[in-house]
Amino acid sequence: MFKKKTVNKVSFTLLNIVLVLFSLVFIFANTAGVYVVGVLDDAGLRRAYVTRVMDVVFDNLGSEAVDSLEKIQTDIEQRPEIRSITKKYTDAFVDGIWNDKEFSDINVDISVEIDDLATYIADEIKTYVTIPTVLDKTLTQHIKTKEVAAQTAVQLYAQSLYEDIRSEMAPLVKLYYVFTSNAFKTVMAIAVILVAAALIATTPVKISKISMSVVSIIIGVLYYLLANVVMGRVVFATSNRILGRTASISTTPGYVILGIMAGIAAALFIILTITDIVINKKKAD
């Protein structure tokens, strides 16, 4: 015999609210780094590098090749190595502020990214201009010379940015350090699982298959609104004062999470519907 579950409306409502809050905290803890790297990238770290290396492209293509120059610059800006450089500096900033380090005590090795970008830029130039084989090494050496200047520019900008963030936002950065730590993410993951399990265990399947799906969609919508709308406006309004340049955040993670939560909602509805059918069949037998 199956014991019929009854729903305590107060506990049911509270558990759903807690599940939404815990889930949002867990998702933001896992995606915060994406936004921070994006903001610092947009605030000038990317530009500090790209502006210098584009001199080499300009020297080889000439000022007439406007469309080609713009395409190459856009391609360089979107390279994963650029993002990797910004991420390394972001991680170093956070660690440095957490441990009260001076910028001179921070060591960021971006030599691998620099070498990979030099090769990529040389290949990009050669798709537009015929470079004799004998001059290949000269071109690469020229690029690497500019890369050194670019690396210096990034380092100088990063130092200025680090000092500004350290003086304006040290407490917030230290909170971010804890918020994005693996320990905190693990605790929140366990909390989400326990609350979800408690809801499913104390709610009739015919109700939970709907409520869990609705809650999943609510989480996705709230994340989208908080990230793309609220956080987007806050960053746009405050970045110039703090970072010295107006920055924006990418809206892509918001759409991705919204899609993922919609998928989870559909999956939960299907799984719990099948479970409901199985339970009813066993009751009938």
Side-chain angles (χ1 to χ4, degrees):
M1 288 292 292
F2 287 86
K3 186 178 179 180
K4 186 176 180 180
K5 295 177 182 176
T6 57
V7 179
N8 183 307
K9 292 182 180 179
V10 175
S11 62
F12 175 76
T13 302
L14 288 176
L15 281 173
N16 275 290
I17 292 173
V18 171
L19 179 60
V20 169
L21 293 176
F22 281 7
S23 298
L24 285 172
V25 171
F26 174 72
I27 297 171
F28 271 111
N30 282 276
T31 57
V34 176
Y35 291 111
V36 172
V37 170
V39 168
L40 293 182
D41 194 50
D42 194 40
L45 279 175
R46 176 182 63 218
R47 184 179 295 272
Y49 170 84
V50 175
T51 302
R52 300 302 187 284
V53 297
M54 279 303 295
D55 290 343
V56 183
V57 182
F58 183 86
D59 291 344
N60 284 274
L61 268 63
S63 58
E64 296 81 10
V66 177
D67 292 341
S68 300
L69 288 168
E70 288 181 353
K71 182 181 183 306
I72 291 175
Q73 179 169 339
T74 300
D75 289 345
I76 293 173
E77 289 176 348
Q78 293 176 348
R79 290 291 298 173
E81 291 89 351
I82 298 293
R83 194 78 169 183
S84 177
I85 289 171
T86 307
K87 186 178 186 311
K88 283 186 174 182
Y89 272 103
T90 302
D91 293 342
F93 283 4
V94 174
D95 179 73
I97 292 172
W98 176 261
N99 292 294
D100 295 321
K101 293 181 181 178
E102 298 296 328
F103 185 81
S104 57
D105 298 324
I106 295 174
N107 180 36
V108 181
D109 182 10
I110 58 174
S111 57
V112 173
E113 288 82 359
I114 293 295
D115 287 342
D116 289 346
L117 282 166
T119 302
Y120 173 78
I121 293 167
D123 291 341
E124 280 287 284
I125 291 173
K126 285 184 281 187
T127 61
Y128 294 95
V129 179
T130 301
I131 304 292
T133 305
V134 71
L135 295 178
D136 263 4
K137 289 185 178 179
T138 304
L139 174 61
T140 303
Q141 188 58 44
H142 188 195
I143 293 171
K144 287 190 175 180
T145 300
K146 288 295 182 180
E147 293 267 354
V148 172
Q151 192 168 353
T152 302
V154 170
Q155 187 76 355
L156 289 172
Y157 182 81
Q159 181 175 3
S160 172
L161 192 59
Y162 180 76
E163 297 303 335
D164 288 343
I165 294 173
R166 189 182 179 193
S167 62
E168 295 276 349
M169 304 173 62
L172 187 60
V173 173
K174 291 183 178 183
L175 178 62
Y176 169 85
Y177 182 92
V178 175
F179 185 69
T180 57
S181 67
N182 288 331
F184 183 78
K185 292 175 186 176
T186 301
V187 169
M188 291 311 304
I190 293 171
V192 170
I193 292 170
L194 289 176
V195 175
L199 266 170
I200 293 173
T202 58
T203 308
V205 180
K206 65 179 180 180
I207 295 176
S208 63
K209 70 180 180 181
I210 297 173
S211 64
M212 293 297 287
S213 300
V214 171
V215 164
S216 298
I217 292 173
I218 289 173
I219 292 168
V221 171
L222 285 177
Y223 179 89
Y224 169 82
L225 292 173
L226 289 171
N228 286 15
V229 180
V230 178
M231 193 163 68
R233 290 179 179 176
V234 170
V235 168
F236 185 81
T238 61
S239 56
N240 187 57
R241 180 179 63 83
I242 297 171
L243 304 176
R245 176 183 172 83
T246 300
S248 59
I249 64 169
S250 171
T251 57
T252 301
Y255 289 111
V256 170
I257 295 299
L258 181 58
I260 290 173
M261 295 312 299
I264 291 174
L268 285 171
F269 184 80
I270 293 171
I271 292 169
L272 292 173
T273 297
I274 293 172
T275 303
D276 192 28
I277 293 171
V278 171
I279 289 175
N280 287 331
K281 185 176 180 182
K282 288 184 176 180
K283 284 181 179 179
D285 294 340

